Amino acid sequence: MSAPTTTRTAPAEPRVAALTPISWKLPIALTVLGLVALVFFGIVPAGGHHTTFRISTASDAFQISPVAVPSTATALVLSIVALALAGLSWWAAAGRRRLGVWLPAVFGVLWVLAFLCWAGAGKTIPLTGLLSGALFLSVPLVFGSMSGILCERVGIINIAIEGQLLGGAFLAAVVASLSGSPYLGLVAAPIAGALVGVLLVVFAVRYWVDQIIVGVVLNVLVIGVTNYLFSTVLTNNVGTWNRRTPLPVLAVPGLSEIPVIGPVLFRQTLLVYLLYVAVVILQIYLFRSRWGLRLRAVGEHPKAADTVGINVNRTRIRNTILGGAVAGLGGAFFTVGAGLAFGREMTGGKGYIALAAMILGRWNPIGALFAALLFGFSDNLQTTLGIVGTPIPSQIMLMTPYVVTIFAVAGLVGRVRAPASEGIPYTK
């Protein structure tokens, strides 16, 4: 009998784990900004020897004395620390380590403080007023970015946020003027945004028109309609149709008297408090509820969602209209929220900045909130420095919000992935 033969198999080659590609965008951006701060804020002489930061307001429970710091020396130290954080980002990127969002956040705070020390040299910077105004100006950006999240998470690209904001501002002003109640205007604003959302889903879901083109056309449509009504109706009888009807400031007893935190967070209008509620509810429901799971499934893989019984197009229609209503509520900021009468194209491109905040926040409500706060801060910064006086030309300061938007999205956003089925019509 012949001995049984054994077959030898070659040992399996060890598997090599695929390495994620290194992104150098964040280290490069932080290094460039750090060098700018070091050269212009820490080395170039400031316009004065000291910068004073006023912290307390008159209605605080206790007063904190203004803080005066040496302008050039403080800016130099802050710039060096910021460059150290930039170096840390290079080390993390080279080793494919993730340090979290705290690093660009801390870097941004240091950079802004160095800039304020330089720009406010010899002057007094109202720090609490700067922060309070930043939150207030970020209101339409937050609501607009929440609208974008609701729409794009189900696969509908909502470029029409600008038109929804403008429509909400218009209807809020008209209803508040006719009724004499800013709260009724606040109720009416989401209706205008929802109507624009209805038009968006009719063309995007029913007729499969390119969603970006539809959004741009809707923006132009709302601008045209509101300009026509403004010229023919509102200006002819301002006292009836377009009066200033501001929302009152509602101070939370006790909390509003805490220095810094109180005036910033708890001495605001009802619209700002609704902002807190909207962000928290959307964050919880989007990632911790059955509704949010269905919503995200429709945006990521509509065919799989349809297979398990989810009506894809109905989900898209409902959430797009809801997103339009949220943006319309944000539009009320421009009239009843800010205590202004309606004006032509008064939203000033805030809908597009809200889209940038949504992308920078990675389609996450909390992330979009902080991105919108960044843009709101840059908007209020140019106003505040224009009042106290600064060596920077006023034309450059007016560019600040838009420059910050471009740098934030291009340099800090890194690799992001939109919902997989965004902009793709669905049919069974």
Side-chain angles (χ1 to χ4, degrees):
M1 295 180 61
S2 60
T5 60
T6 59
T7 303
R8 293 185 178 180
T9 58
E13 295 183 0
R15 293 183 179 180
V16 179
L19 296 176
T20 58
I22 298 176
S23 175
W24 300 105
K25 293 177 66 175
L26 181 62
I28 293 173
L30 297 185
T31 302
V32 171
L33 291 173
L35 290 174
V36 168
L38 180 66
V39 173
F40 289 98
F41 309 150
I43 297 177
V44 175
H49 296 292
H50 290 82
T51 302
T52 303
F53 293 95
R54 188 170 68 244
I55 300 174
S56 293
T57 62
S59 57
D60 288 348
F62 56 92
Q63 297 295 311
I64 300 176
S65 301
V67 178
V69 297
S71 303
T72 304
T74 304
L76 180 62
V77 172
L78 293 172
S79 301
I80 293 174
V81 177
L83 278 174
L85 290 179
L88 181 61
S89 70
W90 283 97
W91 170 80
R96 293 182 171 85
R97 301 175 180 87
R98 302 190 65 178
L99 296 177
V101 298
W102 68 268
L103 191 144
V106 174
F107 179 92
V109 171
L110 294 173
W111 198 94
V112 169
L113 287 176
F115 171 74
L116 289 176
C117 289
W118 176 80
K123 302 174 180 64
T124 299
I125 303 295
L127 188 59
T128 300
L130 182 62
L131 297 176
S132 179
L135 174 61
F136 185 66
L137 291 177
S138 68
V139 168
L141 305 180
V142 175
F143 280 111
S145 61
M146 296 302 112
S147 171
I149 290 171
L150 281 168
C151 296
E152 298 202 7
R153 280 287 186 174
V154 291
I156 301 295
I157 302 174
N158 188 6
I159 302 295
I161 295 175
E162 178 75 8
Q164 292 163 347
L165 290 174
L166 186 61
F170 176 84
L171 195 59
V174 170
V175 172
S177 298
L178 292 174
S179 64
S181 171
Y183 293 108
L184 289 180
L186 199 62
V187 173
I191 298 175
L195 290 176
V196 179
V198 169
L199 293 176
L200 176 60
V201 294
V202 165
F203 289 101
V205 177
R206 177 66 178 84
Y207 295 106
W208 297 0
V209 181
D210 186 279
Q211 296 169 13
I212 296 178
I213 296 176
V214 172
V216 173
V217 170
L218 288 176
N219 289 335
V220 176
L221 174 65
V222 174
I223 290 174
V225 170
T226 54
N227 283 349
Y228 171 76
L229 294 175
F230 177 79
S231 301
T232 58
V233 179
L234 271 63
T235 55
N236 291 335
N237 196 343
V238 176
T240 301
W241 294 95
N242 198 19
R243 290 185 291 120
R244 293 186 177 185
T245 314
L247 286 169
V249 174
L250 304 176
V252 179
L255 295 177
S256 62
E257 299 174 0
I258 302 174
V260 183
I261 297 177
V264 173
L265 298 179
F266 304 110
R267 202 179 297 165
Q268 300 283 358
T269 64
L270 177 62
L271 188 59
V272 179
Y273 298 134
L274 290 176
L275 180 150
Y276 302 157
V277 175
V279 172
V280 172
I281 289 179
L282 185 56
Q283 179 71 25
I284 294 175
Y285 272 76
L286 192 60
F287 299 106
R288 295 290 185 271
S289 72
R290 180 182 178 185
W291 169 80
L293 179 61
R294 287 170 171 258
L295 184 149
R296 289 181 286 122
V298 168
E300 292 292 342
H301 203 311
K303 190 173 184 62
D306 193 6
T307 303
V308 298
I310 300 174
N311 191 317
V312 173
N313 286 331
R314 183 184 300 170
T315 303
R316 288 184 168 182
I317 290 171
R318 288 177 176 176
N319 284 280
T320 302
I321 296 175
L322 176 61
V326 171
L329 180 61
F333 161 84
F334 297 99
T335 49
V336 296
L340 300 174
F342 180 80
R344 294 176 183 267
E345 303 179 37
M346 65 187 310
T347 49
K350 292 295 189 294
Y352 301 108
I353 298 181
L355 281 174
M358 176 197 69
I359 297 171
L360 183 59
R362 300 171 185 266
W363 290 267
N364 182 289
I366 299 297
L369 169 66
F370 285 106
L373 289 173
L374 170 65
F375 299 144
F377 179 83
S378 64
D379 198 1
N380 192 46
L381 180 63
Q382 58 95 6
T383 302
T384 302
L385 293 182
I387 294 174
V388 302
T390 175
I392 303 176
S394 59
Q395 294 83 357
I396 300 297
M397 292 304 302
L398 289 174
M399 294 166 51
T400 302
Y402 309 102
V403 172
V404 169
T405 302
I406 293 172
F407 274 99
V409 175
L412 301 179
V413 70
R415 291 181 177 271
V416 296
R417 188 186 68 84
S421 296
E422 179 184 76
I424 302 175
Y426 178 73
T427 182
K428 290 189 177 182

